Amino acid sequence: MAQDYPDADLAAVNDEPPPSGRVPLSRQRIVDAALDYIDAQGLPGLTMRRLGEQLGVEAMALYRYVPSKEDLLDAVVEDLVAQVRADDVVLDEPRDGWQDFLQRMAHGVRRMALAHPKAFPLVASRPAEAPWLRPPLRSLEWVETFLSGLLAEGFSDDAAIDGYRAYTSFLLGHLLLEVAVHGADVGPLDVLDDQTGEPGTADYPTVSRLRKPLSEDRSAVEFEEALEALLDRMTVDRNAHIRG
């Protein structure tokens, strides 16, 4: 019976052009469909077969454009990061001081996360271009923008790196908690092996120069520093209330 055929097979039986012929497949169209699926259904249910059904094609047709599901998920992350770059409020360099620069960037990342809460955990869990790049600013382009922006505003190398670490820790921790409220599955994250090859950094001179200190593992120190900063802020709030 006709209803037993998938959409693509049914079109062939009825001597109609396949759906992919009516609206040609492309890598971007597949990535967009995958993001739409994740937004609606969540990440755990995404399969190449279901994505093919959504696009009206056999799953095998997708592999011409995305060699594997892993490649597809990486492409979704690239698309999410590109959305922040395309945000009209986010700047490529400071114009009204470094605080305005970082506030704009943070709000741009947050807008992306809240627009795609079920997909945002991928930004944290997919392997980055290098294991020492930290989500959600996980591309060489974004790290170059961040570091060069702070250096132009008078930060030393060490201060810029410390700022990068503190800023990304704050953003990731806050936003993962926030998207969880909006239905995101944040645990356990789909973390893959981070032993990626070293990326070419010739086009990113600041990242290239600071690559060694960027790769140092200071997670324990950062946790203590963040906790100390939180307690200091709570002390200020407490004293203000007492004086009030």
Side-chain angles (χ1 to χ4, degrees):
M1 296 176 64
Q3 60 266 30
D4 293 333
Y5 290 92
D7 290 346
D9 292 343
L10 181 59
V13 169
N14 293 335
D15 197 26
E16 298 173 355
S20 59
R22 293 193 294 267
V23 182
L25 279 179
S26 67
R27 182 177 175 87
Q28 188 59 53
R29 184 178 171 222
I30 293 169
V31 171
D32 290 343
L35 186 53
D36 288 344
Y37 183 97
I38 296 170
D39 285 343
Q41 306 294 332
L43 178 61
L46 178 65
T47 65
M48 299 300 274
R49 179 183 62 80
R50 288 172 178 167
L51 185 58
E53 289 175 352
Q54 180 169 310
L55 288 164
V57 300
E58 294 291 334
M60 290 302 296
L62 306 179
Y63 289 103
R64 176 182 175 187
Y65 303 92
V66 284
S68 66
K69 182 180 177 182
E70 306 307 319
D71 179 75
L72 174 63
L73 296 180
D74 288 340
V76 169
V77 170
E78 291 172 4
D79 190 85
L80 292 172
V81 173
Q83 289 184 26
V84 180
R85 175 67 70 186
D87 191 304
D88 291 338
V89 174
V90 177
L91 301 177
D92 290 333
E93 59 186 12
R95 297 177 187 171
D96 296 307
W98 64 270
Q99 292 178 329
D100 173 77
F101 174 63
L102 296 189
Q103 286 176 345
R104 288 170 176 269
M105 188 181 295
H107 285 291
V109 175
R110 184 171 183 267
R111 275 190 288 275
M112 176 271 286
L114 295 182
H116 307 284
K118 294 180 181 179
F120 181 74
L122 282 172
V123 177
S125 62
R126 301 301 299 170
E129 292 179 71
W132 39 269
L133 292 180
R134 301 160 61 110
L137 304 183
R138 52 173 298 129
S139 72
L140 288 167
E141 183 179 13
W142 266 118
V143 179
E144 180 73 17
T145 296
F146 183 96
L147 293 175
S148 61
L150 294 193
L151 293 177
E153 291 290 310
F155 279 66
S156 67
D157 288 355
D158 288 343
I161 291 171
D162 287 345
Y164 165 69
R165 287 172 167 150
Y167 187 79
T168 51
S169 294
F170 161 75
L171 274 183
L172 187 62
H174 182 91
L175 293 178
L176 281 177
L177 289 173
E178 192 166 7
V179 298
V181 174
H182 292 272
D185 182 7
V186 297
L189 292 173
D190 178 27
V191 181
L192 297 184
D193 184 4
D194 274 344
Q195 300 304 312
T196 54
E198 287 299 315
T201 58
D203 294 332
Y204 308 97
T206 308
V207 174
S208 181
R209 182 169 61 82
L210 299 179
R211 180 253 180 275
K212 183 176 179 180
L214 281 170
S215 65
E216 294 174 358
D217 183 4
R218 299 180 67 250
S219 300
V221 174
E222 292 164 24
F223 178 84
E224 293 299 331
E225 290 175 346
L227 179 59
E228 182 178 345
L230 173 61
L231 296 178
D232 287 343
R233 187 174 65 190
M234 292 175 65
T235 299
V236 171
D237 291 343
R238 174 183 176 277
N239 291 341
H241 283 294
I242 291 175
R243 288 194 300 269

